[in-house]
Amino acid sequence: MQASEAIRYSEGPFQPVIDKCEGCERVVEENDTKYCRVYIKPEAKWRLGICNFATHAKPEIKVVKVRINPLKASKRASRRR
Ligand code: SF4
């Protein structure tokens, strides 16, 4: 009986994942070859930087802390009403 999964990655235009995809939850394996569930060409995705769909790698996000004086903020909020 055929598996319920209708997509056949090896028969489509899908290209295998690259080393950087290792560990990503979107990797699917078919016939001992790993494919990406969301990208046809994983290699092209990584050429521009970190893949934005990667579940195992995240770009460094810099958090800039903005100091807010709570007193002034509440005054500003009440003025708007
Ligand atoms: S989502 Fe990105 S990192 Fe994950 S398998 Fe696909 S191309 Fe690779």
Side-chain angles (χ1 to χ4, degrees):
M1 222 175 108
Q2 188 132 22
S4 59
E5 189 132 329
I7 304 166
R8 287 238 156 254
Y9 292 92
S10 54
E11 286 168 17
F14 287 88
Q15 290 181 5
V17 295
I18 57 163
D19 292 353
K20 287 172 185 163
C21 298
E22 207 57 57
C24 178
E25 283 171 25
R26 295 183 214 274
V27 172
V28 284
E29 207 171 331
E30 196 186 284
N31 301 334
D32 290 331
T33 309
K34 287 174 181 168
Y35 298 94
C36 172
R37 225 182 305 164
V38 285
Y39 284 114
I40 289 171
K41 289 182 185 171
E43 188 260 326
K45 194 68 211 163
W46 280 93
R47 213 179 297 150
L48 305 167
I50 291 179
C51 168
N52 55 341
F53 270 95
T55 58
H56 63 311
K58 291 261 176 284
E60 227 175 88
I61 299 165
K62 283 193 185 134
V63 179
V64 180
K65 277 195 182 169
V66 182
R67 283 202 177 189
I68 297 171
N69 185 325
L71 206 64
K72 279 186 185 170
S74 76
K75 272 187 191 167
R76 228 178 290 142
S78 62
R79 231 182 290 146
R80 241 179 262 142
R81 263 182 243 147

